[in-house]
Amino acid sequence: MSMSFSTELKAELAGLIPARTCCQKNELVGVFVASGGVVSGGWAHYRVYRNDLARKLIRLARALTPEVPRFEVVRAPRRTQFLVDHGAAGQLASALESPARVPESVCDRKALLRGLFLGGGSVNGPSAGHHLEFLPPDQAWAEVIGALMEGFGVRARMNVRAGRPVVYVKDADQIVRCLSIVGGSRAVMEFENARIVREVRGQVHRRLNFETANLDRTVESTRRQLGAIDALERAGVIDALPAALREVARWRRLRPDLSLVELALMMEVTKSAVNHRLRRIVALAADMAAPGLAAVGPRA
């Protein structure tokens, strides 16, 4: 079973471990906040639904705390849960339980945003409509996410769904920028490739529609021209036409498949001349078919 675009992105992000301690701490805070983690008895407790995210929490905890993290898998009929506990004392506990705030350094802001996305974010694939969203626990964290994204040049919107704030982005370029900020380089490439394929496909469809419409008009125009020539022949007036009109009628009967440009090349005249003469023939046939006109004579 193939993974969704959002699942692939989170798997990619789960494999990224920041080198700096400050970034590790801020990413851990983001996951803690977005996944509804709690601190109790000197331990931080997480309940997540992705094995790769649980493994990342353990790796971050090992880098930040001396205690050995605890890990438990709870299998359920609908969805398997992963319980992760790690030591939370001193500065780490203060960071996890601190009020919503925007970090000062750029690297910490990226790490926090990545953690918030891993813990409570999602994104549609490029072929399924452009939509990226965060589900923060409260309005204060929604405003932090909005401020983080605005600081990186991403225009996010806010809404409320089932009593819970939602921060989302709909613009494709803004989504690509957001994916790049959190470190989803493979996801960015996939998103851009899909957009390029869709744009090229759209251009091809538009070109085909344009050419099909032109072909339909050409076929209908040729049908009218041949009908007019047949009408003039049945009326016995084709030989009385000027030489230029007789010549274009002869060539049109011989080569009904040619366009005006191709017909002009065969006759060694301009396209405008061919078009004008064929219009004259169609007009003569129409005049002849009009009530009260028995025949059509040559016109200068």
Side-chain angles (χ1 to χ4, degrees):
M1 182 177 178
S2 61
M3 293 191 296
S4 68
F5 181 80
S6 188
T7 300
E8 291 179 353
L9 170 60
K10 288 190 174 183
E12 179 183 2
L13 299 182
L16 301 177
I17 301 297
R20 302 176 63 178
T21 301
C22 60
C23 298
Q24 294 170 353
K25 184 185 300 183
N26 275 280
E27 185 164 355
L28 197 63
V29 168
V31 177
F32 180 84
V33 168
S35 64
V38 296
V39 174
S40 174
W43 285 79
H45 308 280
Y46 302 79
R47 184 185 301 269
V48 297
Y49 299 93
R50 296 180 54 83
N51 188 24
D52 50 12
L53 178 55
R55 292 197 304 269
K56 178 163 192 170
L57 291 173
I58 292 172
R59 293 177 66 185
L60 290 172
R62 284 174 176 168
L64 295 170
T65 65
E67 296 90 350
V68 178
R70 300 193 294 247
F71 176 72
E72 181 183 354
V73 179
V74 180
R75 303 194 181 280
R78 285 184 160 222
R79 202 174 185 187
T80 299
Q81 300 176 357
F82 302 91
L83 308 182
V84 179
D85 301 330
H86 67 74
Q91 293 183 353
L92 181 57
S94 298
L96 294 174
E97 296 184 297
S98 65
R101 63 177 182 81
V102 176
E104 293 183 3
S105 67
V106 174
C107 65
D108 289 345
R109 294 176 184 178
K110 290 182 178 180
L112 179 60
L113 195 63
R114 181 165 56 248
L116 289 165
F117 182 81
L118 278 169
S122 64
V123 60
N124 289 347
S127 60
H130 303 140
H131 185 85
L132 178 146
E133 70 176 28
F134 292 79
L135 293 174
D138 51 44
Q139 186 61 32
W141 275 106
E143 292 174 1
V144 166
I145 293 173
L148 286 169
M149 298 179 78
E150 183 179 356
F152 289 116
V154 178
R155 297 184 300 274
R157 301 178 183 178
M158 296 187 188
N159 206 338
V160 177
R161 183 192 303 154
R164 186 174 178 179
V166 180
V167 182
Y168 65 96
V169 179
K170 289 273 188 190
D171 180 78
D173 291 330
Q174 299 288 300
I175 291 175
V176 168
R177 182 167 180 78
C178 190
L179 297 181
S180 178
I181 291 165
V182 298
S185 56
R186 290 201 305 269
V188 169
M189 290 180 61
E190 183 178 346
F191 201 97
E192 291 287 28
N193 287 340
R195 284 210 300 167
I196 290 171
V197 170
R198 187 170 59 251
E199 289 173 3
V200 170
R201 185 177 295 140
Q203 291 174 1
V204 170
H205 285 167
R206 287 192 294 272
R207 181 66 180 176
L208 287 175
N209 290 338
F210 175 77
E211 292 179 352
T212 299
N214 279 344
L215 181 60
D216 290 342
R217 286 193 293 270
T218 300
V219 170
E220 176 59 23
S221 180
T222 301
R223 185 192 64 79
R224 289 197 306 270
Q225 294 160 8
L226 292 174
I229 294 169
D230 288 341
L232 294 176
E233 285 185 341
R234 287 195 301 270
V237 298
I238 192 76
D239 292 333
L241 296 178
L245 298 188
R246 293 199 308 272
E247 181 186 20
V248 78
R250 181 174 64 84
W251 275 105
R252 176 48 85 199
R253 290 295 299 272
L254 287 174
R255 299 301 305 269
D257 57 309
L258 297 184
S259 66
L260 292 181
V261 173
E262 294 167 331
L263 203 59
L265 289 174
M266 295 288 291
M267 296 177 60
E268 298 182 352
V269 295
T270 65
K271 174 189 172 182
S272 177
V274 171
N275 185 44
H276 176 71
R277 295 172 188 180
L278 288 172
R279 285 178 177 272
R280 287 281 308 278
I281 288 176
V282 172
L284 288 171
D287 289 346
M288 185 181 63
L293 296 178
V296 176
R299 296 186 183 180

